[in-house]
Amino acid sequence: MLNDEAIMRRCLELARLAEGRTSPNPIVGCVVVDKDNNFIAEGYHQKHGKQHAEVEALDIAGDKAKGGTLFVNLEPCSHFGKQPPCADRIIKSGIAKVVAAIQDPNPKVAGKGFKKLEDAGIKVVRDVLSIEAKLFNKPFLKAKTQGLPWVVLKIAATLDGHIADRDGKSQWITGDQARSLVMNLRNKADAVIIGAGTARLDNPRLSVRGLEDSRDSRDPVRVVIDPNLSVDKDSNLFKKDQGGRTIVYCSKNAAASNNLGDHVKIKKAPGSNHSGDSKNLDLTWILKDLVAEEGINNVMCEGGGVLAGGLLQQNLVDDIYWFVAPKILGDSKAKLAVEGQDAISLDKAKTFELNAPQIIGSDLLLLLHNPESMAKLLGSL
């Protein structure tokens, strides 16, 4: 017989199937067992606007759910949004017990779902695999508790820390397998953010291509930090058939007449006095705007060194995927992976926690976590 933790792990597996598809909502999986603890149904929230995991599972379970137990990795909602309250649907189903991993930090829920269930006579068990559940929903939890997206910085560099040669050429520093992994990361991200320099030099599409797993691949939102609107209007970033919709953040003094089409949005961002900001646009404001106005919970930064430096100096990076190629440029004028404008002593260097290094084809992957981000996440509820 499966125990509560084993069934909750299945909920998390189901939730993961929708990574990058549900924002601004969380990823949620649900399992229903009958009164004898026999599995009868499962479901997950597949996409923002579609029915929630609990409803999908209960629709499959039908009358067999009566007297049974519903497992879910996040507190069932109690309010009307794109979908009606899941708590009401659970009560109507005849479920006798609900086992949940964590409480929903959304102020519209925040314990109200649990209370509604308990008031209806349903037994509620909380905090089953709560740490694992928080880690699975890092972007949603950070967005709801801090108003900021979860920021993943991706760097592909030589052994001597360069992301391009002195002429800006960066294709290709890493091998095919590393680039394939990056495509999978993009496929799970809500948005990919780059600076104007990278946009001009690389003319990227920032689309998802060549996935081995063909599961509902889709392109993330493309975000460009371009204070002076210097990126050519014929750039791939502005072509509707080359990727997802595009958001450009420029300075308030830039001439921002948009003749690029309805799939491109130009937004004016305030300036910043922080020397680490990307050309003095307020990066914190931009990230908060992505959450509040664009429904984006998860951002991947893909360049370049100035933007990476600004995010790191302001402690805005949560995870780093640092790919190291076995190459040495040996050129002091080649482009650095991280560029900063402040003088920083070694004792004030930002320290990240290193996960187990991985060999990806001919390259080395260092997965790094910001310990402050993890502490805030695990203490958020």
Side-chain angles (χ1 to χ4, degrees), residues 99-119:
V99 178
I102 57 175
Q103 179 174 300
D104 190 335
N106 185 343
K108 294 179 180 179
V109 187
K112 299 181 183 72
F114 288 147
K115 185 177 187 304
K116 181 175 279 193
L117 295 172
E118 289 172 331
D119 288 347

Side-chain angles (χ1 to χ4, degrees), residues 14-28 44-52 82 136-137 139 183-191 208-209 211 213-221 295-298:
L14 292 164
R16 177 161 274 173
L17 294 174
E19 279 185 303
R21 273 75 180 156
T22 62
S23 290
N25 290 348
I27 54 172
V28 181
Y44 68 99
H45 180 39
Q46 297 181 21
K47 188 177 181 180
H48 177 56
K50 289 194 173 183
Q51 66 183 14
H52 292 179
K82 292 280 186 181
F136 266 70
N137 259 313
M183 287 297 156
N184 279 283
L185 292 174
R186 278 186 193 173
N187 194 35
K188 297 175 182 178
D190 296 333
V208 174
R209 307 178 297 278
L211 290 185
D213 179 4
S214 60
R215 171 190 65 89
D216 186 27
S217 65
R218 62 90 185 91
D219 296 320
V221 175
I296 288 170
N297 292 345
N298 181 8

Side-chain angles (χ1 to χ4, degrees), residues 110-161:
K112 299 181 183 72
F114 288 147
K115 185 177 187 304
K116 181 175 279 193
L117 295 172
E118 289 172 331
D119 288 347
I122 295 173
K123 181 179 180 181
V124 175
V125 177
R126 315 180 193 199
D127 299 324
V128 175
L129 293 186
S130 61
I131 292 177
E132 290 90 333
K134 288 181 182 182
L135 294 175
F136 266 70
N137 259 313
K138 294 183 293 187
F140 172 75
L141 295 177
K142 186 181 178 187
K144 287 301 179 187
T145 59
Q146 300 175 46
L148 287 165
W150 193 263
V151 177
V152 175
L153 174 61
K154 183 235 93 180
I155 291 174
T158 60
L159 285 168
D160 50 344

Side-chain angles (χ1 to χ4, degrees), residues 182-321:
V182 171
M183 287 297 156
N184 279 283
L185 292 174
R186 278 186 193 173
N187 194 35
K188 297 175 182 178
D190 296 333
V192 175
I193 185 170
I194 63 172
T198 299
R200 290 193 300 268
L201 287 170
D202 294 350
N203 191 23
R205 287 177 281 175
L206 301 183
S207 58
V208 174
R209 307 178 297 278
L211 290 185
E212 292 180 6
D213 179 4
S214 60
R215 171 190 65 89
D216 186 27
S217 65
R218 62 90 185 91
D219 296 320
V221 175
R222 302 176 290 188
V223 180
V224 188
I225 310 298
D226 187 8
N228 301 315
L229 295 179
S230 61
V231 178
D232 193 286
K233 63 181 178 60
D234 294 322
S235 165
N236 287 329
L237 290 167
F238 302 138
K239 294 178 181 177
K240 193 171 185 177
D241 62 348
Q242 294 293 319
R245 67 185 180 95
T246 302
I247 303 171
V248 180
Y249 286 97
C250 65
S251 70
K252 291 188 174 181
N253 297 324
S257 58
N258 187 359
N259 59 354
L260 298 172
D262 58 7
H263 63 289
V264 179
K265 183 184 290 187
I266 296 178
K267 306 186 79 170
K268 294 196 172 185
S272 171
N273 294 323
H274 195 289
S275 61
D277 267 334
S278 187
K279 301 300 182 183
N280 294 325
L281 288 189
D282 190 329
L283 292 177
T284 300
W285 185 94
I286 289 171
L287 292 176
K288 287 186 174 183
D289 184 73
L290 288 173
V291 170
E293 301 299 326
E294 305 297 336
I296 288 170
N297 292 345
N298 181 8
V299 171
M300 186 162 93
C301 174
E302 291 200 47
V306 173
L307 179 56
L311 291 169
L312 286 165
Q313 283 190 18
Q314 294 186 61
N315 200 29
L316 294 170
V317 174
D318 301 298
D319 290 327
I320 302 176
Y321 282 76

